[in-house]
Amino acid sequence: MLRCNTRRGRAPADNSDVLAMFRLVYSGEGATEPLVDDSSLTKEQKWQLLFDRNWGSLAPGSKTKWLVYLRKWKKWIDDHVEQPEGYLVFPSSKVSAFLSHILADCTASSSKDPHGAVKSARKALRHLRACQAGIPDDEAKFPSQPYIAGVTSRAKTATTEARQCEEADPSCSASTLSNEEYASLLDAAMRFPDKQVGLCVAAMVSCGLAAGFRSDDLQDTRYFMELICSVPAEPLPMQILALASNAGKANQDAQMTYAALANHRQPHLDCLAYLSQLVLYQINVSKLPLLALIYQNNMSWRSYRMFFRDPSMATSKQTYYDLSTMLMKVAATMPDTLVKTKVMHLMRCSGTVSLAAAACSMDVLRVWGRWVRSEGVVGKSYLPKSPLSALPATGVLAGFGNNFMTNHAFGRGTVAVPVAWIDALVPHARVILQAVRLRNRTRTGKADFSGQHCVESTLYLAETFWQSSPFMLQRYGLGWWALQLPAVCFIVGSSSFRQFEQQVMKAELEWNARPLSPQMTEAFDKISKQVCSLSEQIAHLQLSVNGMMQPVHSQTAANLSMPTASSSNTQARAATSPRIELEAQVGLSSGLSSVHEAVDEWFTGLHGFPAPPLLCEQAIQRGQRLSKKAIDNLSRRRHLPLRIQALATDRCWPLKKALAVYELVMQRHSLSLAELRDAVRLSSPVRHPDAKGGKPAQSQHVNRSPGLPLISISQFAVWVQKATDDIASMSISW
């Protein structure tokens, strides 16, 4: 459960009653001289200058926060008419009584930060008091007044007690995402029914973590993209995509600052892949007229935001509520509940901790997080204007470690994408780019170099889209949104795409197996030998399992995904302690979210563990007894992959085609993986040949979350048959 700070929601549109309090004047005992006209300024002009300094110059997010407390101040005064001087922030005893009221509310609501609330309320009143003329000078610094200081001390004590109570969460990861949580959140976003929301969250989370964006940065991120020249890394040059922004609460001078994004080593964590999904969805599905406006030299394209909930809101700055609501809706669909103390600051915290864990220096952290603005001219004017100033952080967060300049290699980046495929996603983009370049070079019309960079970046993102497409298909199957585009569906079903897919997969395997440094040559030779024998090992291991799975046909074995070299090393070590390894796997399947992962887990192993049947067989051969918990867990997990294997064998289909049937059922009827497994287990149980019984339990129902309709086994069988017929009728070559 993500905890959203409701104080940062939408402020009321009409704040005239609150702003009227800024014009109040104290005229009682000890009042100072009020504002008067003189030869230089009128009293109205003097007040306006004070108002601009103490209120008008605040960032929108700060104003929203202070308005919440100023409304509380107004309501408290209305409820306590006996308090002197009305809405004036005077005397200090009245202010301390209001702060005590704030402290009591926080204590009653079990807040973990009463001191923060009291401090914020005090700051809001300070802004109000600075514009209220006539208040005695000794009241100007009311935080140091004895009564107010006493409330502040009590608030500190209350905060300490709240954080030390038994209900306090001692988790060290309450404000950060682990790698598993990060990947699971991205998967939930890509599978979210509302594709605009899901793709927006996937791009927002991945780019926010890679660039360290604050919430205010994400709310106003526009299509200011620029593809920087390749960084001369080895063995593959690093392409940097810079996102420019001149907004944000930390950028009061509205200077243009840049954040760098790069392709991740792992395709399912690549922020540019998710950004390409979002941009191309908005161009092709949401019909954002971005490229057309650039071609027409219409500067209104610069008003389009990148992250928005609805296309009608694309030209206005988003609110904290808009983005946080989308993120929480997606997080609610994750297989495992995500309990965090932050929402929109979650990505920035996670990126910071990841960099610190990779031993990045504090200087690199300051530049990456744009905390360097306090370092004089260098921090304010020079470093923020170059996306390469935090290049070490970019390399680390892209998965290449501190020595990214010598080991930057990912296979999919080496495979060329046909130009026709790119043009199918962004028609006329190359023509628009040539026209804009010519216009900028000849100065015929208003120069728009940012528009030129945007078109160039869009073409690069289209290339990234195709390079990551085999992994998107593998991970999300028929639920991948891009298949609704006729051009993409036609290309994916072609023989040229099958060749392209094989090239990408082969390149990814080869480049990931390359030595990361000259000192690893010997280790690479060992890995290469292991990779060469993996196919034979997989077939042998599957055939060796007695009773836990059926014999694997050679054609079926050829269709299985090939594991990495690290998994074969784990399989070799598993012989020493099969029971320990198997017991460690109990409950692990709750972290899976797709049918493909469930099949891979059973046949080849996941998360560094060997395949469960292999461990079970080794335990039996050693005379070791498995716990009831481990046996039940194995029983729940084996039915789905074996049913898919049986379907492929019965119909002489490739395994991927049979797998697509159950992916389609899962997507159509919004089933979780656990619900799908339960339905398969009840409808067509795969039993040991010597076991008694074996009739499907047609009268049973699938266990579902409270509030969701029950699914009968007969209904599920109809769904499977319908999906099987639909897959069989497809002309896609598997």
Side-chain angles (χ1 to χ4, degrees):
M1 177 182 64
L2 292 176
R3 302 171 185 172
C4 180
N5 190 346
T6 56
R7 293 177 300 176
R8 300 188 62 182
R10 297 177 183 268
D14 183 13
N15 299 308
S16 57
D17 56 340
V18 175
L19 298 180
M21 296 190 298
F22 285 79
R23 288 186 173 275
L24 297 178
V25 178
Y26 174 69
S27 57
E29 182 180 356
T32 60
E33 183 179 351
L35 299 176
V36 296
D37 297 339
D38 59 29
S39 58
S40 301
L41 296 171
T42 65
K43 62 179 181 181
E44 178 63 25
Q45 290 174 330
K46 291 180 179 179
W47 179 88
Q48 190 62 46
L49 290 174
L50 288 174
F51 182 80
D52 291 342
R53 177 173 180 263
N54 291 281
W55 186 258
S57 61
L58 296 177
S62 299
K63 288 182 180 179
T64 301
K65 183 177 181 180
W66 303 142
L67 279 171
V68 171
Y69 287 102
L70 292 180
R71 285 200 167 277
K72 289 184 177 182
W73 166 259
K74 184 177 184 301
K75 184 178 183 304
W76 184 79
I77 295 296
D78 292 339
D79 295 340
H80 298 78
V81 293
E82 73 279 2
Q83 294 293 338
E85 306 302 339
Y87 300 123
L88 287 167
V89 188
F90 178 83
S92 59
S93 58
K94 181 174 70 173
V95 176
S96 65
F98 170 69
L99 296 179
S100 297
H101 167 72
I102 296 294
L103 176 58
D105 281 351
C106 292
T107 304
S109 61
S110 302
S111 170
K112 294 296 186 294
D113 190 18
H115 177 249
V118 170
K119 186 177 178 181
S120 296
R122 196 181 65 199
K123 287 183 177 180
L125 294 181
R126 177 174 62 82
H127 289 288
L128 176 59
R129 185 258 165 239
C131 296
Q132 293 177 338
I135 297 179
D137 292 339
D138 61 342
E139 291 289 338
K141 297 182 179 179
F142 64 85
S144 61
Q145 295 295 321
Y147 304 138
I148 298 176
V151 177
T152 304
S153 297
R154 283 196 302 167
K156 289 181 179 179
T157 302
T159 300
T160 302
E161 293 175 352
R163 292 175 177 175
Q164 291 178 342
C165 68
E166 295 180 357
E167 291 79 12
D169 185 5
S171 173
C172 62
S173 60
S175 60
T176 58
L177 287 169
S178 66
N179 290 337
E180 293 77 13
E181 291 172 337
Y182 178 42
S184 181
L185 180 57
L186 293 176
D187 283 344
M190 292 297 293
R191 293 187 173 93
F192 196 71
D194 187 337
K195 295 306 178 185
Q196 170 61 40
V197 172
L199 294 174
C200 182
V201 169
M204 187 171 63
V205 169
S206 57
C207 294
L209 192 148
F213 284 141
R214 299 179 177 89
S215 170
D216 203 59
D217 299 325
L218 293 168
Q219 293 169 34
D220 207 31
T221 301
R222 310 190 191 199
Y223 273 91
F224 297 156
M225 302 183 292
E226 183 176 356
L227 188 62
I228 307 300
C229 59
S230 301
V231 176
E234 294 292 341
L236 189 67
M238 177 184 285
Q239 296 284 355
I240 299 294
L241 183 72
L243 291 182
S245 175
N246 59 352
K249 69 175 185 179
N251 189 7
Q252 296 296 317
D253 301 331
Q255 293 186 5
M256 194 64 72
T257 59
Y258 299 87
L261 303 176
N263 291 104
H264 199 281
R265 186 169 196 159
Q266 301 296 329
H268 67 285
L269 300 178
D270 191 350
C271 63
L272 290 183
Y274 293 107
L275 183 61
S276 70
Q277 305 284 324
L278 175 65
V279 171
L280 295 173
Y281 180 88
Q282 292 177 353
I283 291 176
N284 290 282
V285 180
S286 299
K287 303 300 181 184
L288 213 64
L290 188 70
L291 300 180
L293 292 175
I294 293 175
Y295 178 71
Q296 298 166 6
N297 205 12
N298 188 336
M299 297 301 170
S300 62
W301 74 268
R302 299 186 180 186
S303 65
Y304 284 107
R305 270 62 178 184
M306 190 170 286
F307 307 117
F308 51 81
R309 187 175 55 182
D310 186 84
S312 62
M313 307 163 59
T315 56
S316 58
K317 180 180 178 179
Q318 309 301 294
T319 66
Y320 179 90
Y321 175 82
D322 293 329
L323 301 188
S324 62
T325 301
M326 290 193 296
L327 180 55
M328 288 190 293
K329 284 182 178 179
V330 170
T333 65
M334 294 174 60
D336 295 328
T337 303
L338 191 64
V339 181
K340 301 294 177 182
T341 59
K342 298 185 182 299
V343 182
M344 295 307 298
H345 215 62
L346 189 61
M347 294 76 77
R348 186 171 172 85
C349 290
S350 302
T352 303
V353 172
S354 297
L355 291 175
C360 287
S361 66
M362 288 301 295
D363 290 336
V364 172
L365 280 169
R366 289 193 190 98
V367 176
W368 171 81
R370 294 169 291 285
W371 290 297
V372 78
R373 293 181 63 81
S374 61
E375 304 295 332
V377 176
V378 173
K380 289 182 178 179
S381 301
Y382 290 94
L383 295 180
K385 292 183 179 180
S386 173
L388 300 181
S389 57
L391 188 60
T394 303
V396 169
L397 292 176
F400 297 100
N402 288 310
N403 56 339
F404 65 95
M405 291 296 290
T406 58
N407 72 344
H408 183 261
F410 61 103
R412 62 191 184 280
T414 64
V415 182
V417 178
V419 175
W421 294 6
I422 297 176
D423 294 341
L425 287 173
V426 279
H428 314 301
R430 297 184 189 278
V431 176
I432 294 174
L433 179 59
Q434 292 177 0
V436 175
R437 281 177 175 173
L438 179 63
R439 185 169 61 216
N440 290 338
R441 186 168 59 249
T442 59
R443 303 290 177 170
T444 54
K446 188 174 182 180
D448 187 12
F449 289 99
S450 58
Q452 175 182 328
H453 297 321
C454 180
V455 180
E456 291 172 344
S457 301
T458 303
L459 288 170
Y460 177 71
L461 289 176
E463 182 181 9
T464 302
F465 172 93
W466 285 115
Q467 289 173 340
S468 62
S469 61
F471 305 98
M472 293 293 174
L473 281 169
Q474 184 185 55
R475 201 169 184 88
Y476 306 113
L478 296 177
W480 185 34
W481 74 270
L483 293 179
Q484 66 180 279
L485 300 178
V488 174
C489 194
F490 176 78
I491 293 173
V492 169
S494 65
S495 58
S496 57
F497 182 81
R498 292 197 299 275
Q499 297 175 359
F500 174 80
E501 181 182 20
Q502 293 173 358
Q503 291 175 0
V504 170
M505 294 298 187
K506 182 179 179 181
E508 197 73 18
L509 181 63
E510 290 178 351
W511 282 76
N512 283 342
R514 289 192 176 195
L516 301 182
S517 63
Q519 292 78 13
M520 296 182 64
T521 303
E522 183 178 354
F524 172 62
D525 292 338
K526 295 180 180 179
I527 292 174
S528 298
K529 294 178 182 178
Q530 293 170 350
V531 171
C532 292
S533 61
L534 277 177
S535 298
E536 298 178 1
Q537 292 180 20
I538 293 172
H540 173 72
L541 293 176
Q542 291 172 343
L543 291 171
S544 66
V545 178
N546 180 23
M548 293 303 299
M549 61 179 291
Q550 300 172 356
V552 180
H553 191 273
S554 59
Q555 178 63 30
T556 305
N559 289 323
L560 297 178
S561 301
M562 182 169 289
T564 60
S566 60
S567 65
S568 63
N569 290 337
T570 310
Q571 290 177 350
R573 293 195 303 269
T576 60
S577 55
R579 174 167 181 170
I580 296 176
E581 296 264 5
L582 187 59
E583 297 289 346
Q585 277 189 285
V586 173
L588 187 64
S589 59
S590 61
L592 307 185
S593 57
S594 70
V595 178
H596 191 280
E597 289 176 328
V599 173
D600 281 352
E601 179 200 37
W602 185 260
F603 289 129
T604 64
L606 285 179
H607 305 294
F609 288 101
L614 170 64
L615 293 176
C616 182
E617 176 69 14
Q618 291 174 344
I620 294 174
Q621 290 177 356
R622 292 172 176 268
Q624 296 173 331
R625 297 182 60 186
L626 300 178
S627 67
K628 184 179 183 300
K629 186 176 181 181
I631 294 174
D632 292 343
N633 188 268
L634 284 170
S635 176
R636 287 195 303 271
R637 290 148 69 184
R638 70 189 177 97
H639 292 283
L640 178 59
L642 295 186
R643 182 69 192 95
I644 292 174
Q645 179 187 331
L647 177 61
T649 303
D650 293 343
R651 290 182 170 258
C652 297
W653 282 357
L655 194 66
K656 287 198 300 184
K657 190 171 183 178
L659 188 148
V661 170
Y662 289 88
E663 285 278 13
L664 185 58
V665 172
M666 189 174 175
Q667 292 291 335
R668 279 180 174 175
H669 305 287
S670 301
L671 299 178
S672 67
L673 181 60
E675 293 168 350
L676 182 67
R677 280 174 162 169
D678 193 38
V680 172
R681 178 179 63 84
L682 294 175
S683 63
S684 55
V686 181
R687 297 180 177 270
H688 190 279
D690 298 331
K692 297 181 180 180
K695 295 182 179 179
Q698 298 290 343
S699 61
Q700 297 189 30
H701 291 80
V702 178
N703 294 323
R704 304 200 76 189
S705 301
L708 295 178
L710 293 177
I711 301 173
S712 67
I713 300 307
S714 58
Q715 182 183 19
F716 177 75
V718 173
W719 291 351
V720 173
Q721 185 60 47
K722 179 66 168 61
T724 303
D725 295 340
D726 291 344
I727 293 296
S729 63
M730 288 185 178
S731 59
I732 299 177
S733 177
W734 301 87

